[in-house]
Amino acid sequence: MASASYPRAIAMAALQAALTSTWIAARELSPPRRRLARLGIVAAVGGVSYLASPRSADPEPELVVGARPMLVAEGGPVVDPDAFPEFAFDKRKAALTAAVLGASAAAMFGRRQVEKRWLARLTRNGHPHPTRALAVRMAGLEFAGQLALQLAEARKAAAQR
């Protein structure tokens, strides 16, 4: 979801951090309660995101194929295959896509490694609620990462105006 303003960027980063921290904190619950809690979390975040999303003033235009579509057998137009250009493989787009997918996978892997390391340290040090403490730590990390992404989107949107 693209942020339209800086306050919205901060709010969306905070919402994502809250989702992440409550998702992690739900690990302490029994499986049925954990599933119910996570379902509620997803429903609440989805509802808040929907309510906070910017509304478009213009309704979506309807796709109109033609005033009177006709089959070729009924005398409709015949499509010339030479009228359409060949499929061109763009190496730059493919490289960019591969880079984005690689960066995303690396970020997920790194995040999981940080989670494991912090949870092991909290458990080893005898923290009374290591999963809750991990949830608080990951909320801060998630907020910082999401805020950077959201602010970049907000800056890009502001530059286009």
Side-chain angles (χ1 to χ4, degrees):
M1 176 180 158
S3 297
S5 65
Y6 292 112
R8 176 168 278 138
I10 294 169
M12 295 314 291
L15 186 64
Q16 182 64 36
L19 171 68
T20 299
S21 66
T22 52
W23 191 274
I24 292 170
R27 289 182 191 167
E28 288 187 342
L29 301 173
S30 65
R33 286 186 177 176
R34 180 174 55 238
R35 289 183 190 108
L36 186 61
R38 287 180 173 172
L39 178 68
I41 292 165
V42 169
V45 169
V48 170
S49 295
Y50 176 75
L51 293 175
S53 65
R55 300 288 182 258
S56 148
D58 300 328
E60 290 290 323
E62 289 186 26
L63 179 64
V64 178
V65 176
R68 293 183 53 208
M70 297 172 52
L71 297 174
V72 174
E74 295 175 354
V78 177
V79 178
D80 182 20
D82 296 331
F84 296 102
E86 282 278 324
F87 172 73
F89 182 74
D90 190 2
K91 292 179 183 176
R92 291 177 293 176
K93 285 185 181 180
L96 181 63
T97 301
V100 167
L101 288 174
S104 297
M108 288 188 319
F109 179 75
R111 180 179 180 269
R112 186 65 183 139
Q113 292 302 317
V114 168
E115 273 186 50
K116 287 179 182 180
R117 184 174 295 145
W118 282 350
L119 186 59
R121 185 180 302 144
L122 288 165
T123 304
R124 185 176 56 242
N125 291 340
H127 195 283
H129 299 286
T131 307
R132 292 181 201 170
L134 175 66
V136 171
R137 287 182 179 190
M138 290 306 292
L141 186 66
E142 185 76 19
F143 179 76
Q146 286 295 322
L147 184 62
L149 293 173
Q150 293 288 336
L151 288 177
E153 287 182 16
R155 181 176 294 165
K156 182 179 172 184
Q160 290 177 351
R161 284 187 233 155

